[in-house]
PDB file of all heavy atoms in Angstrom:
ATOM      1  N   TRP A 125      64.314  48.771 105.696  1.00 92.00           N
ATOM      2  CA  TRP A 125      64.282  48.072 104.416  1.00 92.00           C
ATOM      3  C   TRP A 125      62.827  47.706 104.064  1.00 92.00           C
ATOM      4  O   TRP A 125      62.078  47.246 104.922  1.00 92.00           O
ATOM      5  CB  TRP A 125      65.170  46.834 104.467  1.00 92.00           C
ATOM      6  CG  TRP A 125      65.253  46.085 103.183  1.00 92.00           C
ATOM      7  CD1 TRP A 125      65.512  46.578 101.945  1.00 92.00           C
ATOM      8  CD2 TRP A 125      65.031  44.669 103.023  1.00 92.00           C
ATOM      9  NE1 TRP A 125      65.496  45.573 101.005  1.00 92.00           N
ATOM     10  CE2 TRP A 125      65.216  44.393 101.632  1.00 92.00           C
ATOM     11  CE3 TRP A 125      64.748  43.625 103.887  1.00 92.00           C
ATOM     12  CZ2 TRP A 125      65.082  43.115 101.116  1.00 92.00           C
ATOM     13  CZ3 TRP A 125      64.635  42.351 103.375  1.00 92.00           C
ATOM     14  CH2 TRP A 125      64.797  42.094 102.009  1.00 92.00           C
ATOM     15  N   SER A 126      62.480  47.880 102.803  1.00 89.00           N
ATOM     16  CA  SER A 126      61.072  47.848 102.406  1.00 89.00           C
ATOM     17  C   SER A 126      60.417  46.473 102.499  1.00 89.00           C
ATOM     18  O   SER A 126      59.179  46.383 102.397  1.00 89.00           O
ATOM     19  CB  SER A 126      60.943  48.352 100.961  1.00 89.00           C
ATOM     20  OG  SER A 126      61.756  47.593 100.080  1.00 89.00           O
ATOM     21  N   SER A 127      61.167  45.397 102.707  1.00 92.00           N
ATOM     22  CA  SER A 127      60.546  44.049 102.765  1.00 92.00           C
ATOM     23  C   SER A 127      60.264  43.552 104.171  1.00 92.00           C
ATOM     24  O   SER A 127      59.551  42.568 104.345  1.00 92.00           O
ATOM     25  CB  SER A 127      61.440  43.034 102.052  1.00 92.00           C
ATOM     26  OG  SER A 127      61.425  43.233 100.650  1.00 92.00           O
ATOM     27  N   TYR A 128      60.820  44.219 105.200  1.00 95.00           N
ATOM     28  CA  TYR A 128      60.597  43.738 106.568  1.00 95.00           C
ATOM     29  C   TYR A 128      59.106  43.747 106.929  1.00 95.00           C
ATOM     30  O   TYR A 128      58.560  42.756 107.417  1.00 95.00           O
ATOM     31  CB  TYR A 128      61.368  44.564 107.583  1.00 95.00           C
ATOM     32  CG  TYR A 128      62.874  44.404 107.558  1.00 95.00           C
ATOM     33  CD1 TYR A 128      63.694  45.474 107.911  1.00 95.00           C
ATOM     34  CD2 TYR A 128      63.476  43.215 107.195  1.00 95.00           C
ATOM     35  CE1 TYR A 128      65.063  45.347 107.900  1.00 95.00           C
ATOM     36  CE2 TYR A 128      64.850  43.088 107.176  1.00 95.00           C
ATOM     37  CZ  TYR A 128      65.655  44.154 107.528  1.00 95.00           C
ATOM     38  OH  TYR A 128      67.004  44.034 107.508  1.00 95.00           O
ATOM     39  N   GLU A 129      58.454  44.882 106.735  1.00 94.00           N
ATOM     40  CA  GLU A 129      57.045  44.981 107.146  1.00 94.00           C
ATOM     41  C   GLU A 129      56.148  44.028 106.368  1.00 94.00           C
ATOM     42  O   GLU A 129      55.298  43.356 106.960  1.00 94.00           O
ATOM     43  CB  GLU A 129      56.548  46.411 106.998  1.00 94.00           C
ATOM     44  CG  GLU A 129      55.116  46.591 107.505  1.00 94.00           C
ATOM     45  CD  GLU A 129      54.667  48.041 107.569  1.00 94.00           C
ATOM     46  OE1 GLU A 129      55.209  48.853 106.814  1.00 94.00           O
ATOM     47  OE2 GLU A 129      53.797  48.354 108.381  1.00 94.00           O
ATOM     48  N   PRO A 130      56.278  43.912 105.037  1.00 94.00           N
ATOM     49  CA  PRO A 130      55.475  42.902 104.343  1.00 94.00           C
ATOM     50  C   PRO A 130      55.673  41.473 104.867  1.00 94.00           C
ATOM     51  O   PRO A 130      54.721  40.698 104.938  1.00 94.00           O
ATOM     52  CB  PRO A 130      55.922  43.034 102.884  1.00 94.00           C
ATOM     53  CG  PRO A 130      56.369  44.443 102.773  1.00 94.00           C
ATOM     54  CD  PRO A 130      57.011  44.759 104.082  1.00 94.00           C
ATOM     55  N   MET A 131      56.908  41.123 105.203  1.00 96.00           N
ATOM     56  CA  MET A 131      57.149  39.790 105.745  1.00 96.00           C
ATOM     57  C   MET A 131      56.385  39.602 107.058  1.00 96.00           C
ATOM     58  O   MET A 131      55.798  38.525 107.297  1.00 96.00           O
ATOM     59  CB  MET A 131      58.638  39.578 105.990  1.00 96.00           C
ATOM     60  CG  MET A 131      59.466  39.433 104.742  1.00 96.00           C
ATOM     61  SD  MET A 131      61.205  39.143 105.183  1.00 96.00           S
ATOM     62  CE  MET A 131      61.969  39.192 103.551  1.00 96.00           C
ATOM     63  N   VAL A 132      56.405  40.629 107.894  1.00 96.00           N
ATOM     64  CA  VAL A 132      55.685  40.536 109.169  1.00 96.00           C
ATOM     65  C   VAL A 132      54.174  40.445 108.935  1.00 96.00           C
ATOM     66  O   VAL A 132      53.485  39.637 109.572  1.00 96.00           O
ATOM     67  CB  VAL A 132      56.026  41.755 110.055  1.00 96.00           C
ATOM     68  CG1 VAL A 132      55.134  41.785 111.299  1.00 96.00           C
ATOM     69  CG2 VAL A 132      57.487  41.733 110.446  1.00 96.00           C
ATOM     70  N   LYS A 133      53.656  41.237 108.000  1.00 95.00           N
ATOM     71  CA  LYS A 133      52.215  41.173 107.698  1.00 95.00           C
ATOM     72  C   LYS A 133      51.812  39.801 107.175  1.00 95.00           C
ATOM     73  O   LYS A 133      50.759  39.285 107.518  1.00 95.00           O
ATOM     74  CB  LYS A 133      51.870  42.251 106.659  1.00 95.00           C
ATOM     75  CG  LYS A 133      51.822  43.668 107.218  1.00 95.00           C
ATOM     76  CD  LYS A 133      51.377  44.635 106.156  1.00 95.00           C
ATOM     77  CE  LYS A 133      51.231  46.048 106.701  1.00 95.00           C
ATOM     78  NZ  LYS A 133      50.765  47.009 105.673  1.00 95.00           N
ATOM     79  N   LEU A 134      52.660  39.217 106.323  1.00 95.00           N
ATOM     80  CA  LEU A 134      52.333  37.905 105.777  1.00 95.00           C
ATOM     81  C   LEU A 134      52.329  36.823 106.858  1.00 95.00           C
ATOM     82  O   LEU A 134      51.727  35.766 106.680  1.00 95.00           O
ATOM     83  CB  LEU A 134      53.340  37.535 104.664  1.00 95.00           C
ATOM     84  CG  LEU A 134      53.186  38.358 103.385  1.00 95.00           C
ATOM     85  CD1 LEU A 134      54.342  38.066 102.420  1.00 95.00           C
ATOM     86  CD2 LEU A 134      51.851  38.061 102.698  1.00 95.00           C
ATOM     87  N   ALA A 135      52.991  37.095 107.989  1.00 95.00           N
ATOM     88  CA  ALA A 135      52.962  36.162 109.115  1.00 95.00           C
ATOM     89  C   ALA A 135      51.815  36.500 110.079  1.00 95.00           C
ATOM     90  O   ALA A 135      51.625  35.792 111.091  1.00 95.00           O
ATOM     91  CB  ALA A 135      54.297  36.199 109.863  1.00 95.00           C
ATOM     92  N   GLY A 136      51.064  37.571 109.789  1.00 95.00           N
ATOM     93  CA  GLY A 136      49.944  37.965 110.655  1.00 95.00           C
ATOM     94  C   GLY A 136      50.340  38.931 111.740  1.00 95.00           C
ATOM     95  O   GLY A 136      49.520  39.262 112.603  1.00 95.00           O
TER      96      GLY A 136
END
Side-chain angles (χ1 to χ4, degrees):
W125 182 50
S126 56
S127 288
Y128 290 149
E129 184 171 26
M131 288 182 186
V132 172
K133 285 184 176 181
L134 290 172

